[in-house]
Amino acid sequence: MYAQNGSEGGGPAENVRAVDFRSDTVSVPTPSMRRAIFEATVGDDVYGEDPTVRKLEQRSAALFGKEAALFVPSGTMANLLAIMVHCSRRGTEAIVGDLAHGFLYEQGGASQFAGVLLSTIRNNPDGTFCLNELATKFRGYDVHEPNTVLVMVENTHNICGGKVVPLEWLEKLSKICVEKGAKVHMDGARVFNAAAYMDVPVSRIVRDVDSVCFCLSKGLACPVGSVLLGTAEFIKEAHRLRKALGGGMRQVGFLAAAGLCALDEIVPKLKDDHARTRRVAEAIDQMKSPIFKVDLANLHTNILLIRILNKQIHSSDLSHRLATVHPEEIAAGVVDSQGNGIAVKLSARDWTFARIVIYTNITDEEVELAIKKIQFVFKEYEKNV
């Protein structure tokens, strides 16, 4: 990707080669996916008459070992639908990790729209939480308390750096929930990455959960969509509620065709994304920087967290510097083969870390260019701090 005049500080107005590591949500359809979209056979999905949607749902259900599946516009809607179905009575409670996407980044939809209380439990760095603590958090034993009817897990875990939660932990969690009479929903936006890391079928990853959703528009490079899975009865109710939330679309087969293509083309290559992420992590680790650190030993998938140990350096400032081309780096040869400056975009807020996410559109060449820019900027910080 090229951008005009990304230089700063009086430098020349060269083209800039941008490497976008902000998120796998910026992934774009592949050429074959675009053809599949163009050629899709479609019908009215609200009437249940779109054959391509039905094919995607049936194939997804078979892959995940679940009875049924439902195509929805987004992962946020998929998680909300799961909450609304499992917590069908307003005033009930769901337990969720305090670093979970469903708690941090979905606008409290459980309370806004479903009347469901989210009770948090502290996430561990590996994306799990303490099961002994979980067993004590279920409520509903007297009239003063809400009934706890759902536990939500995330796999892979976004904020914890793409961690894959252990299968044994999921199995133990499921047993606790069965004993307590609660259901388990997995926010599996990147669950295919978990399967690739574990080198097991995705059906094994989700065996012990009652419902799960996965995202098509993140690392799978589709333009829109997620898929929600569970029992036939669960999906029947989710289908009804999808309409109420505005998710009843019509000729959705154009989007479902991209999903089918992703299952064939992108899912088998997810390990390549993991390998490219590790290449960046290794390059940073080899620098032995006193300021910027990565946990190479615990890197699982396509998300890399760069820890910032100096409190004077803010992740948003680091992000801005990496995305900017200065004349001195051009002079130092931090350029691509055409002499263009390199801008690296990554995700940063008021965090003590910056986040890199790699996806199918990122090439080996772009990884090496990004490493060149990152190393230059990190050394620059080390000189000036």
Side-chain angles (χ1 to χ4, degrees), residues 2 17 333-340 342 365 369 372:
Y2 293 87
R17 181 75 175 271
V334 184
V335 296
D336 70 3
S337 59
Q338 304 302 312
N340 300 297
I342 303 165
E365 178 196 11
L369 292 174
K372 188 187 297 187

Side-chain angles (χ1 to χ4, degrees), residues 40-269:
T41 302
V42 299
D44 190 319
D45 182 53
V46 173
Y47 289 143
E49 296 175 356
D50 191 304
T52 309
V53 173
R54 290 204 303 268
K55 184 176 180 181
L56 174 63
E57 292 172 344
Q58 291 164 2
R59 185 168 175 196
S60 297
L63 279 172
F64 279 72
K66 300 301 182 186
E67 291 180 0
L70 181 69
F71 182 91
V72 297
S74 71
T76 295
M77 183 181 286
N79 284 332
L80 179 57
L81 285 170
I83 291 170
M84 292 176 74
V85 176
H86 289 310
C87 308
S88 57
R89 182 176 172 183
R90 293 180 68 85
T92 53
E93 178 181 67
I95 298 172
V96 61
D98 65 343
L99 297 179
H101 191 281
F103 176 67
L104 294 177
Y105 300 124
E106 295 179 10
Q107 279 196 19
S111 58
Q112 276 201 68
F113 306 115
V116 174
L117 173 66
L118 294 184
S119 176
T120 59
I121 184 170
R122 187 177 65 84
N123 275 118
N124 297 320
D126 66 353
T128 66
F129 41 75
C130 177
L131 296 182
N132 290 332
E133 181 183 354
L134 173 68
T136 69
K137 288 185 72 70
F138 289 84
R139 299 196 291 170
Y141 299 105
D142 64 48
V143 296
H144 301 91
E145 300 175 335
N147 290 307
T148 307
V149 298
L150 178 65
V151 175
M152 299 176 66
V153 298
E154 187 173 329
N155 196 17
T156 66
H157 202 289
N158 177 21
I159 290 298
C160 292
K163 296 295 191 299
V164 179
V165 299
L167 296 176
E168 182 182 6
W169 180 82
L170 284 171
E171 185 175 355
K172 291 179 179 178
L173 180 145
S174 176
K175 289 180 179 178
I176 292 171
C177 291
V178 169
E179 292 171 0
K180 301 293 185 178
K183 300 293 186 181
V184 180
H185 171 68
M186 178 183 289
D187 177 355
R190 300 179 177 92
V191 70
F192 279 109
N193 291 90
Y197 173 76
M198 287 283 193
D199 200 23
V200 298
V202 72
S203 58
R204 176 62 189 89
I205 299 289
V206 305
R207 185 192 70 184
D208 298 309
V209 302
D210 297 286
S211 62
V212 59
C213 62
F214 71 92
C215 188
L216 292 164
S217 61
K218 287 189 172 74
L220 301 191
C222 297
V224 179
S226 287
V227 177
L228 178 64
L229 304 104
T231 65
E233 188 62 30
F234 170 87
I235 292 298
K236 180 181 178 181
E237 186 59 22
H239 182 273
R240 177 177 176 80
L241 291 169
R242 183 186 71 173
K243 179 69 174 176
L245 295 179
M249 301 179 288
R250 300 296 176 173
Q251 283 69 37
V252 189
F254 289 117
L255 303 177
L260 287 166
C261 184
L263 295 179
D264 291 328
E265 179 185 354
I266 309 300
V267 169
K269 297 191 297 184

